[in-house]
Amino acid sequence: MRALCQCFGLCLDSPPAPRVSPVKFSSEFKAEGCVVSNFCIGGKGTCFANTPVMQMKAFFELKVLEEGVFVVGICAQGFNLTQQIGSDPQRSWGLSSADVPFAKDDIVGVAFDQSERPTLRFFKNGRSIDARTITFNAKGMELFPAVSVSGGAMLEANFTHSFVHRPPPGYDGIIRPVNMMPTPP
């Protein structure tokens, strides 16, 4: 029994499993002009989520708290955070509120599929925006959910759970990677 406990870490004197912090806006990967508070973003510039997307199909939502100009999507590390998503087509892809109008309390859904070739699909209040599907090449890049804001826009993100609108079949909230290997004593 002791060997089984040692192998699987089941002993009562084992330290508790590490608590996984929530997926939220990063305080490290944001433009100086961005104002972030866990799940809300305002100000001016771009901010990444605090974890890359590791799973094949991920979904997240953003609620428009204040109207303005915003872009929601995916960015690769190295993207200039003072720029808007989409300004560097080799490192950023997204949907702009300048192209699809959104009002206060609207919900923007983002479905990201990287199972074959990375593809972004967008939703407005649960309905697909068919003309806004983006397929791109990001081979070998670590990709992050990201939001750009300006002109008074303020959004609230939901990266992981209890979505207002159901994700497409096969998609789930962003799963933060966890190191399952115990650290040696």
Side-chain angles (χ1 to χ4, degrees):
M1 183 63 164
R2 181 91 175 135
L4 181 65
C5 287
Q6 287 177 333
C7 183
F8 292 103
L10 300 175
C11 294
L12 296 176
D13 59 351
S14 294
R19 183 180 167 129
V20 179
S21 61
V23 178
K24 58 187 178 182
F25 285 115
S26 172
S27 58
E28 183 179 344
F29 295 108
K30 70 177 188 70
E32 192 174 304
C34 274
V35 178
V36 297
S37 174
N38 292 328
F39 307 102
C40 292
I41 182 171
K44 184 175 181 179
T46 299
C47 185
F48 288 3
N50 64 348
T51 188
V53 178
M54 303 301 284
Q55 74 248 44
M56 288 297 129
K57 293 183 176 186
F59 182 80
F60 58 100
E61 288 181 330
L62 297 118
K63 180 178 182 178
V64 179
L65 300 177
E66 294 294 335
E67 293 181 41
V69 178
F70 62 86
V71 185
V72 299
I74 297 288
C75 290
Q77 272 190 325
F79 175 72
N80 181 346
L81 298 171
T82 63
Q83 301 295 311
Q84 277 197 339
I85 297 169
S87 64
D88 178 352
Q90 303 302 312
R91 293 187 176 277
S92 65
W93 308 269
L95 172 72
S96 173
S97 63
D99 297 329
V100 176
F102 289 90
K104 185 175 179 173
D105 296 326
D106 279 347
I107 304 291
V108 185
V110 181
F112 177 49
D113 181 351
Q114 56 183 347
S115 56
E116 291 182 28
R117 186 157 186 222
T119 303
L120 281 168
R121 291 173 38 213
F122 300 97
F123 300 82
K124 180 178 180 180
N125 298 322
R127 297 187 183 269
S128 179
I129 305 171
D130 293 329
R132 296 296 178 207
T133 298
I134 301 171
T135 302
F136 54 93
N137 184 5
K139 188 173 183 167
M141 293 184 185
E142 193 170 49
L143 302 173
F144 292 78
V147 178
S148 299
V149 291
S150 65
M154 188 180 300
L155 289 88
E156 179 180 29
N158 181 354
F159 293 114
T160 60
H161 65 285
S162 301
F163 296 111
V164 174
H165 300 287
R166 183 174 299 205
Y171 288 79
D172 201 358
I174 297 167
I175 301 167
R176 189 174 176 106
V178 176
N179 182 358
M180 299 301 287
M181 299 300 294
T183 52

